[in-house]
Amino acid sequence: MISLKPLPTNLNSSFFRSLTPFKLFTPKTQTLKSSKSHSHSAIKSVLQWNRKPELAGETPRVVVITSGKGGVGKTTTTANVGLSLARLGFSVVAIDADVGLRNLDLLLGLENRVNYTLVEVMNGDCRLDQALVRDKRWSNFELLCISKPRSKLPLGFGGKALVWLVEALKTRPEGCPDFIIIDCPAGIDAGFITAITPANEAVLVSTPDITSLRDADRVTGLLECDGIRDIKMVVNRVRTDMIKGEDMMSVLDVQEMLGLALLGVIPEDSEVIRSTNRGYPLVLNKPPTLAGLAFEQAAWRLVEQDTMKAVMVEEEPKKRGFFSLFGG
């Protein structure tokens, strides 16, 4: 067993020179000073990483989440990004613009609390604050559905109704929300035109397959024709194993095909199906999953109007031994 004994006090400097190749410690005062500065820089870096994102642009920011193709994850993106924004401290109003086939209330677990819709507000049957449903977990997140399931819109209902809704949310007594997120229905028919009319930003959700990219390219052109120039892209259901096997297009290929700024990359995650069936959004899971963290990072970039960049990483070829020449 090794025991430590104090050094004698009558040692001269020649004794320390003989302790090669070891180096002397700095004096005690300098050690305390360096450790103090190190801890200060560490605390500063922690505060930097845990800061609240700065909201860019004028409020309310009206963002439509669309794709053109169905089943790519528009509603999942709306629920998770919306709740991520609410967790960051911003007030959010999510609008389910899918007529007759709404699903956003199911993903949020609020299907039993929707009593009034926007159609009833427009008809004068209720007030706007009665149709807004507050989330059970975050009070600064509200949901508004356009219509009830299996119902049709009146003939006069269109994009002007959502424009009126945005103006009403700006002047309501509770205050103007920071974000108004519109869950756009699939397709490019009248429901699509209605959903994108009041928006000034768009998030295009796509998967790395050729059918989804074709529809996304078509929707991009329609958004630009409508005057929406701030278009960002979320690539959903990415599988790295298939990309390495060249069975799926990479994120860089998708970005080159569409030519859009990249807001986030969401990996394939089986927890998405579980959270959908439970009505519990993915970003609220503890511990967080990879897909949940990716949604949170996308929400952070959306707040600051930031983007990410996809890069190509080339792997080094595997080294082959001498016996591999003989099939070993």
Side-chain angles (χ1 to χ4, degrees):
M1 183 176 180
I2 300 175
S3 61
L4 299 177
K5 296 182 180 180
L7 294 174
T9 57
N10 55 357
L11 295 178
N12 51 18
S13 59
S14 61
F15 172 78
F16 292 101
R17 295 192 190 97
S18 63
L19 294 178
T20 55
F22 300 99
K23 295 182 179 180
L24 291 176
F25 291 102
T26 54
K28 187 175 181 181
T29 56
Q30 295 182 9
T31 306
L32 291 176
K33 186 177 180 180
S34 60
S35 64
K36 184 177 180 180
S37 61
H38 177 72
S39 62
H40 176 71
S41 61
I43 293 174
K44 188 176 180 180
S45 62
V46 169
L47 293 176
Q48 178 71 14
W49 282 105
N50 290 277
R51 66 177 178 87
K52 180 182 176 181
E54 298 179 1
L55 181 61
E58 298 180 356
T59 57
R61 288 176 53 185
V62 186
V63 184
V64 59
I65 298 182
T66 182
S67 69
K69 187 177 185 298
V72 297
K74 295 184 297 295
T75 305
T76 303
T77 303
T78 304
N80 287 278
V81 171
L83 271 180
S84 297
L85 293 173
R87 294 178 67 190
L88 291 172
F90 302 102
S91 57
V92 181
V93 174
I95 302 174
D96 193 345
D98 201 341
V99 179
L101 295 174
R102 74 181 194 207
N103 292 312
L104 186 57
D105 54 342
L106 289 174
L107 268 67
L108 296 170
L110 301 175
E111 64 274 10
N112 295 325
R113 299 196 176 190
V114 179
N115 296 318
Y116 299 105
T117 62
L118 179 59
V119 173
E120 292 164 322
V121 174
M122 300 291 292
N123 293 334
D125 299 332
C126 66
R127 301 187 308 271
L128 178 59
D129 60 325
Q130 292 178 310
L132 290 169
V133 181
R134 290 188 180 275
D135 185 72
K136 297 178 286 188
R137 296 146 298 224
W138 297 89
S139 59
N140 54 342
F141 182 89
E142 295 173 301
L143 170 67
L144 177 63
C145 298
I146 280 190
S147 64
K148 293 182 178 179
R150 298 179 298 277
S151 63
K152 296 182 180 180
L153 288 179
L155 294 177
F157 194 92
K160 293 183 179 180
L162 287 188
V163 173
W164 172 86
L165 173 63
V166 171
E167 295 297 327
L169 290 173
K170 288 181 181 179
T171 58
R172 64 175 182 169
E174 294 83 357
C176 175
D178 297 318
F179 285 90
I180 299 176
I181 302 179
I182 304 174
D183 184 16
C184 183
I188 53 174
D189 52 0
F192 170 79
I193 302 300
T194 301
I196 69 173
T197 299
N200 46 37
E201 301 177 46
V203 175
L204 194 66
V205 183
S206 178
T207 54
D209 59 86
I210 193 64
T211 56
S212 177
L213 293 176
R214 180 181 180 181
D215 294 348
D217 193 22
R218 173 63 174 158
V219 167
T220 303
L222 294 176
L223 292 173
E224 292 178 350
C225 290
D226 198 64
I228 302 176
R229 300 294 179 180
D230 189 359
I231 307 173
K232 297 182 178 63
M233 175 180 57
V234 171
V235 184
N236 195 18
R237 305 185 67 178
V238 176
R239 292 184 56 177
T240 56
D241 55 340
M242 295 186 67
I243 294 176
K244 290 181 179 179
E246 298 183 354
D247 296 322
M248 177 181 285
M249 284 185 291
S250 65
V251 179
L252 188 61
D253 296 334
V254 174
Q255 193 174 13
E256 288 179 352
M257 290 184 64
L258 296 179
L260 298 176
L262 190 60
L263 184 66
V265 178
I266 314 300
E268 179 75 31
D269 195 345
S270 59
E271 193 64 28
V272 175
I273 300 177
R274 298 190 186 97
S275 64
T276 301
N277 293 333
R278 290 184 299 165
Y280 196 80
L282 198 64
V283 294
L284 301 180
N285 283 5
K286 294 181 180 180
T289 61
L290 289 177
L293 292 175
F295 278 122
E296 290 182 349
Q297 293 173 1
W300 185 289
R301 298 186 191 100
L302 183 64
V303 171
E304 297 191 339
Q305 293 184 342
D306 196 5
T307 58
M308 63 181 296
K309 185 177 181 181
V311 296
M312 180 179 295
V313 179
E314 296 184 359
E315 296 183 354
E316 296 182 359
K318 296 181 179 180
K319 295 182 179 179
R320 302 181 63 185
F322 174 76
F323 291 101
S324 63
L325 299 176
F326 305 98

